[in-house]
Amino acid sequence: MLFTSTDFSALDLPEHLSQVRHEVREFLHEERRQGSFRVHLGHGEFDAEFSRKVGSRGWIGVTWPKKYGGREASYLERFVITEELLAAAAPISAHWIADRQTGPSFLRFGTEAQRQKYLPAIAKGECYFAIGMSEPNSGSDLASVRTRADKVSGGWKLSGQKVWSSWAHKAHAMFVLCRTSPLAENKHEGLSQLIVDLPSPGVTIRPINFLNNEHHFNEVFFDEAFVPDEMVLGEIGQGWRQVTSELALERSGPERYMNTLPLFFALIDRLKTSPDRMARVTVGTLLARFASVRVMSLAIASEFSRETSPNLATEAALVKDIGTHFEREVTEAVKMLLDVTPGVDADDELERLVGEATIFAPISTIRGGTTQILRGIVAKRLEGGV
Ligand SMILES: Cc1cc2nc3c(=O)[nH]c(=O)nc-3n(C[C@H](O)[C@H](O)[C@H](O)COP(=O)(O)OP(=O)(O)OC[C@H]3O[C@@H](n4cnc5c(N)ncnc54)[C@H](O)[C@@H]3O)c2cc1C
């Protein structure tokens, strides 16, 4: 059954984390006071300067070994830091992918040279990564990727196309999932991960703009781009195992349910003088839902603090599914309870936040695994009874 191996009794956060929470809050308060960022819902702003400040405080690569720029702190500490950054809607997109996904992948599969090259720079908030997995005909069915790398002397020639590559136009490098041997009966075989520095000869990055014209993601084209052997991540042919091994980390964090929290705070703030029964029930229900998903997410972080790589991919799928729907429910509740006209350029902060949350709504239930795929994973596990 789901979460059976998870210890929910150990969820009182260690005392010293209150101090960490306080420090992050103080930092964010001061940054806001200085006008370094404003609350902005959606995909998180890309702000290299802000990421450098976060890195200089030791809040990137928190759990990593000290020799690679980390602090060897627990996943629970990372959880607390992340909660505070998200609650403030801080602009953390520049370092986010590298902190959450790329770093742990280097620690598990990278060579010593790769770790030395990238990890300290990531931890300083100075090196950013993009993820090159999705393709025009390979999203949910990721194993069908067609971007391919052919062996040549000293490396690989990479050809193909990726799509929806978040921040690839600003990243220093990209993990590319590609086929290194022809499609066989088992399509999970013959896949590999290559590290491609950006920009590189043979790599073209073209923008895809959002509805509101913001530039977040891209199409990335590889035209026989040369990737040296030392830029293979892990083992050739083991790409599928490698990319799926980080799913629990990728899908279970507070970023899967906290994106509309500033809107929830704003709702409570507006209601506080005159909440009617409907408002009280709605806010109470949302609060209970938030508390439940947070406990589940925290339980997974707690397991990661005990074990390097617990097998919690299904539990994480559940957190992401419940969490991303909670985010949508917050937006719907605001529209139902308050008389607001959503507008991304509105002067009124609440109207602006509702506008941003409305544009953002379809995103969170798609990226990192769609609702249907997540529910399929959970259903299979329930069916199997394990
Ligand atoms: C904001 C954002 C950022 C992103 N950033 C990145 C990035 O940096 N790098 C990257 O590689 N990708 C990125 N993606 C892509 C994302 O991972 C894919 O969009 C996602 O995996 C879905 O793939 P797709 O868009 O091809 O949809 P499809 O897989 O074509 O799915 C279309 C619909 O069919 C449903 N469906 C598909 N298969 C099944 C099935 N077996 N059973 C039931 N229903 C099914 C899906 O749930 C969905 O509703 C990003 C996406 C978004 C929205």
Side-chain angles (χ1 to χ4, degrees):
M1 264 314 190
L2 287 167
F3 280 109
T4 40
S5 61
T6 311
D7 182 5
F8 284 102
S9 66
L11 291 183
D12 281 337
L13 289 169
E15 192 53 38
H16 77 278
L17 294 186
S18 312
Q19 180 57 29
V20 173
R21 190 182 292 286
H22 177 73
E23 282 167 23
V24 184
R25 231 174 245 190
E26 285 284 291
F27 161 75
L28 290 166
H29 180 74
E30 185 53 24
E31 287 296 307
R32 291 268 295 280
R33 199 187 61 74
Q34 291 178 13
S36 100
F37 70 93
R38 71 169 186 165
V39 174
H40 183 93
L41 303 187
H43 44 77
E45 293 296 281
F46 191 106
D47 182 340
E49 183 52 35
F50 187 84
S51 286
R52 272 193 284 274
K53 288 183 198 168
V54 174
S56 72
R57 278 163 177 77
W59 295 335
I60 302 177
V62 172
T63 61
W64 306 350
K66 289 183 181 160
K67 65 175 174 171
Y68 301 127
R71 285 194 295 113
E72 298 179 13
S74 70
Y75 274 91
L76 293 180
E77 181 159 340
R78 181 176 187 276
F79 188 94
V80 165
I81 294 166
T82 307
E83 277 195 322
E84 291 304 316
L85 292 167
L86 291 170
I92 53 175
S93 284
H95 66 264
W96 185 249
I97 291 171
D99 181 33
R100 183 186 65 185
Q101 264 160 277
T102 318
S105 289
F106 275 130
L107 289 173
R108 279 194 83 185
F109 307 114
T111 63
E112 187 55 27
Q114 290 167 353
R115 292 174 184 172
Q116 294 290 354
K117 177 176 175 186
Y118 295 107
L119 291 177
I122 293 174
K124 281 186 192 156
E126 292 175 353
C127 176
Y128 319 123
F129 266 74
I131 299 172
M133 294 212 267
S134 307
E135 296 183 3
N137 292 307
S138 305
S140 303
D141 183 17
L142 188 60
S144 66
V145 292
R146 281 189 288 188
T147 293
R148 67 165 214 281
D150 298 320
K151 189 73 190 95
V152 292
S153 170
W156 299 81
K157 280 257 159 94
L158 185 64
S159 298
Q161 181 193 349
K162 294 292 171 184
V163 73
W164 315 125
S165 315
S166 302
W167 306 114
H169 55 302
K170 297 195 175 189
H172 297 97
M174 181 174 195
F175 277 179
V176 177
L177 181 69
C178 59
R179 198 153 275 295
T180 40
S181 45
L183 191 59
E185 204 172 311
N186 180 354
K187 62 184 175 187
H188 299 124
E189 286 172 9
L191 294 169
S192 305
Q193 282 182 291
L194 302 184
I195 308 156
V196 178
D197 280 333
L198 298 174
S200 275
V203 182
T204 307
I205 302 176
R206 289 200 199 131
I208 306 175
N209 285 352
F210 267 141
L211 277 177
N212 61 353
N213 229 17
E214 282 181 9
H215 180 191
H216 162 118
F217 36 40
N218 305 274
E219 296 176 288
V220 181
F221 298 87
F222 305 98
D223 183 13
E224 300 201 336
F226 178 72
V227 182
D229 282 327
E230 56 270 25
M231 297 290 263
V232 171
L233 180 74
E235 283 178 55
I236 287 293
Q238 291 299 312
W240 185 255
R241 185 179 65 82
Q242 291 173 198
V243 294
T244 51
S245 72
E246 302 296 344
L247 284 182
L249 262 186
E250 188 193 335
R251 290 178 172 161
S252 68
E255 71 276 16
R256 300 304 186 182
Y257 54 88
M258 283 187 67
N259 290 295
T260 53
L261 214 63
L263 185 57
F264 193 37
F265 295 152
L267 169 68
I268 294 170
D269 200 47
R270 282 282 167 107
L271 287 172
K272 72 182 167 203
T273 50
S274 57
D276 59 14
R277 187 170 183 285
M278 169 75 98
R280 289 200 303 274
V281 170
T282 307
V283 170
T285 306
L286 285 173
L287 208 52
R289 214 159 275 174
F290 172 73
S292 310
V293 74
R294 178 176 184 267
V295 164
M296 290 159 74
S297 173
L298 195 47
I300 293 176
S302 182
E303 293 297 322
F304 270 99
S305 289
R306 267 191 283 277
E307 216 186 305
T308 329
S309 210
N311 182 11
L312 293 169
T314 317
E315 285 79 355
L318 201 58
V319 170
K320 181 176 184 284
D321 186 30
I322 295 173
T324 51
H325 283 85
F326 163 78
E327 289 181 346
R328 282 186 179 205
E329 285 162 10
V330 167
T331 314
E332 294 311 313
V334 175
K335 287 180 185 164
M336 181 181 73
L337 296 173
L338 301 177
D339 183 21
V340 285
T341 311
V344 279
D345 298 320
D347 291 332
D348 177 76
E349 173 148 292
L350 189 71
E351 291 184 354
R352 180 174 64 80
L353 293 183
V354 179
E356 289 175 357
T358 305
I359 287 188
F360 168 73
I363 291 175
S364 59
T365 50
I366 296 174
R367 68 174 166 189
T370 67
T371 300
Q372 291 75 16
I373 294 301
L374 299 175
R375 291 183 184 174
I377 292 170
V378 174
K380 270 188 206 142
R381 174 86 170 270
L382 291 174
E383 198 181 48
V386 284

